[in-house]
């Protein structure tokens, strides 16, 4: 198939951020498909085209940063809609695949699909629009109405929908019973993280403040929704009760300066908490290999519990337990398989005590590490989930081809009947 793949935040392994689209697109190419990726390049002043692992990538100069206000982000989304629609409309394809966030990618996706009379498959990465409403991004009745209309329109235009978690799929099915939804969560790249232990050992040797001390790692976005101040406050409790435990916050985002100020005020910055900049996907392997516990935290917004955080599946791939501070499917997964900890959402003192007890129990750590890696191997292996992903795309394309062929045969039959009766 010729596939046009639209993702505003596409990342390669040399960049910081999730690489789901890169890994799935690369595998599509390896399976013989032709893939054109349309994405934004926030640092560019002109469009360019490159080839990444066989993927033809169309980079568009669209500013975006997590530190932007909601209003500026909206303008970024709309700018990408216009530019990507122009590029997608020129491409020849058999299928269009559009992945949110933002959900506005459905607009250029639907336009490109309609222009070539091919199906669109839409991937949903957030509970939309419940999440932006809960986060305060959509406050006015008009914006909420428009978001609901966009969602309904996008689903009607999609041959199939992929959701990244059971909660997202349930939300869609509850409100749109006729939509065909398949869950394909984020995945664990066991090949990439197969060298995590050795890379982690080198990182520990080269980092004097770490050495052989216990390490809790947060690697991800530092946005409002992520609620990483929870870890800063937990570090303040650990500084008094278990000062050898190190917490590393690795990433960037709107709340970075606020987190630094809070850590300095609580007296933990560069003491037992270290705020480091973002690193590439390839470089983050060493940090997961060095850590004893990976953290995935969110602000206290129930809708965030349906998310599918990359950092969780990276931790599983490295064979590392995960600690979360929220309810939802990931918390249920961790509890059900013994692959880490579910921490109290509002009590960082109790969280610090639970983390300290866990890290101080070598047998519990070994058991949780084995359980985490078993999840990576048996349920979330990237190659395994890519098979589900490709199957959705293939079925969407085949269904449309069969429907069109059937319509063609019906039309031809009708013409023959008409001619016969006329004669």
């Amino acid at each position: 198939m010729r596939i046009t793949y639209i993702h505003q935040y596409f990342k390669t392994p040399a960049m910081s951020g999730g690489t789901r689209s890169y890994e799935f697109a690369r595998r599509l190419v390896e399976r013989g498909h032709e893939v054109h990726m349309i994405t934004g390049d926030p640092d560019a002043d002109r469009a360019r085209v490159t080839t990444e692992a066989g993927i033809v990538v169309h980079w568009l100069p669209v500013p975006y940063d997590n530190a932007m206000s909601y209003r500026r982000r909206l303008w970024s989304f709309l700018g990408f809609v216009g530019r990507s629609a122009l590029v997608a409309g020129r491409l020849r394809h058999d299928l269009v695949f559009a992945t949110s966030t933002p959900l506005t990618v459905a607009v250029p996706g639907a336009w490109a699909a309609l222009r070539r009379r091919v199906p669109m498959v839409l991937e949903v990465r957030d509970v939309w629009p419940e999440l932006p409403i809960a986060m305060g991004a959509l406050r006015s009745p008009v914006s909420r109405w428009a978001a609901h209309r966009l969602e309904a329109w996008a689903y009607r235009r999609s041959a199939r929908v992929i959701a990244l978690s059971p909660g997202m799929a349930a939300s869609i099915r509850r409100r749109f019973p006729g939509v065909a939804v398949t869950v394909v969560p984020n995945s664990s790249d066991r090949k990439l993280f197969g060298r995590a232990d050795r890379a982690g050992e080198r990182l520990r040797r080269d980092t004097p403040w770490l050495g052989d001390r216990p390490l809790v790692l947060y690697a991800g976005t530092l946005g409002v929704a992520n609620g990483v101040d929870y870890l800063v406050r937990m570090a303040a409790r650990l500084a008094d009760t278990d000062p050898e435990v190190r917490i590393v916050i690795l990433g960037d985002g709107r709340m970075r300066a606020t987190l630094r100020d809070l850590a300095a005020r609580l007296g933990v910055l560069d003491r037992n908490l270290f705020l480091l900049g973002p690193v590439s996907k390839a470089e983050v392997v060493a940090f997961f290999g060095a850590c004893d516990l990976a953290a995935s935290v969110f602000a206290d917004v129930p809708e965030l519990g349906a998310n599918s955080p990359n950092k969780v599946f990276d931790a599983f791939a490295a064979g590392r337990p995960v600690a979360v501070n929220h309810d939802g499917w990931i918390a249920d997964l961790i509890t059900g398989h013994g692959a880490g900890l579910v921490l109290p959402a509002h009590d960082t003192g109790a969280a610090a005590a639970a983390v300290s007890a866990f890290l101080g129990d070598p047998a519990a750590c070994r058991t949780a590490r084995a359980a985490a890696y078993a999840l990576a191997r048996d349920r979330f292996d990237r190659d395994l989930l890519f098979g589900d992903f490709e199957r959705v795309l293939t079925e969407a394309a085949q269904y449309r081809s069969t429907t069109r062929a059937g319509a063609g045969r019906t039309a031809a039959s009708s013409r023959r009947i008409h001619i016969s009766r006329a004669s």
Side-chain angles (χ1 to χ4, degrees), residues 157-180:
R157 291 289 181 178
S158 303
R160 296 286 293 271
V161 173
I162 291 176
L164 263 66
S165 78
M168 294 178 199
S171 172
I172 296 168
R173 290 174 183 140
R174 183 179 66 253
R175 293 173 296 116
F176 302 93
V179 174

Side-chain angles (χ1 to χ4, degrees), residues 127-374:
V127 179
W128 179 279
E130 292 102 316
L131 181 56
I133 290 173
M135 292 299 302
L138 301 174
R139 297 181 180 179
S140 71
V142 172
S143 65
R144 295 182 181 189
W145 174 85
H148 283 292
R149 292 297 298 268
L150 173 61
E151 179 194 31
W153 177 86
Y155 293 149
R156 286 199 304 270
R157 291 289 181 178
S158 303
R160 296 286 293 271
V161 173
I162 291 176
L164 263 66
S165 78
M168 294 178 199
S171 172
I172 296 168
R173 290 174 183 140
R174 183 179 66 253
R175 293 173 296 116
F176 302 93
V179 174
V181 187
T182 302
V183 177
V184 183
N186 275 323
S187 52
S188 297
D189 193 330
R190 294 191 297 133
K191 183 177 179 181
L192 176 64
F193 284 88
R195 57 183 179 85
D197 286 342
R198 282 179 293 176
E201 290 171 1
R202 288 194 297 272
L203 177 64
R204 283 181 172 275
R205 285 197 304 267
D206 296 340
T207 310
W209 51 260
L210 177 56
D212 60 358
R213 297 176 178 90
L215 173 62
V216 178
L217 172 69
Y218 175 90
T221 304
L222 309 182
V224 175
N226 304 100
V228 185
D229 61 295
Y230 180 94
L231 296 176
V232 179
R233 299 179 194 281
M234 189 178 77
R237 297 301 190 102
L238 284 167
D240 295 329
T241 60
D242 198 349
E244 287 297 288
V245 175
R246 298 292 182 255
I247 296 179
V248 166
I249 297 173
L250 190 70
D252 203 357
R254 183 177 182 179
M255 301 303 293
R256 182 180 178 84
T258 301
L259 292 171
R260 176 175 286 278
D261 291 345
L262 176 62
R265 189 169 75 250
L266 295 178
V268 296
L269 184 64
D270 297 332
R271 178 185 169 197
N272 68 330
L273 182 137
F274 297 83
L275 184 59
L276 308 181
V279 300
S280 70
K281 189 70 172 185
E283 293 173 305
V284 82
V285 170
F287 286 90
F288 278 98
C291 82
D292 299 286
L293 184 65
S296 177
V297 296
F298 283 126
D300 187 20
V301 177
E303 289 81 0
L304 288 165
N307 274 23
S308 184
N310 279 298
K311 61 183 75 67
V312 169
F313 302 95
D314 290 346
F316 290 165
R320 295 302 186 270
V322 176
V324 300
N325 70 336
H326 53 80
D327 294 329
W329 78 289
I330 294 293
D332 294 342
L333 192 72
I334 290 170
T335 301
H337 292 265
L341 302 173
V342 177
L343 305 174
H346 304 291
D347 190 342
T348 54
V355 167
S356 180
F358 177 78
L359 294 176
D361 186 342
C365 289
R366 284 194 300 271
T367 300
R369 287 179 63 162
Y373 188 75

Side-chain angles (χ1 to χ4, degrees), residues 72 94 105 122 155 163 165 271 274 310 328 338 385 390 404 413:
R72 290 184 63 198
D94 304 302
V105 297
L122 178 66
Y155 293 149
S165 78
R271 178 185 169 197
F274 297 83
N310 279 298
L385 294 180
E390 185 187 26
R404 291 175 67 182
S413 176

Side-chain angles (χ1 to χ4, degrees), residues 368-420:
R369 287 179 63 162
Y373 188 75
L375 285 169
R377 182 191 62 225
D378 300 335
R379 291 191 54 177
F380 300 110
D381 178 80
R382 182 159 278 160
D383 289 328
L384 179 70
L385 294 180
F386 169 74
D388 296 338
F389 175 83
E390 185 187 26
R391 187 158 48 251
V392 172
L393 271 57
T394 302
E395 288 174 357
Q398 288 176 343
Y399 175 79
R400 181 58 61 91
S401 297
T402 301
T403 302
R404 291 175 67 182
R409 286 194 296 272
T410 301
S413 176
S414 298
R415 286 194 298 272
R416 285 196 297 272
I417 292 170
H418 178 76
I419 292 169
S420 174

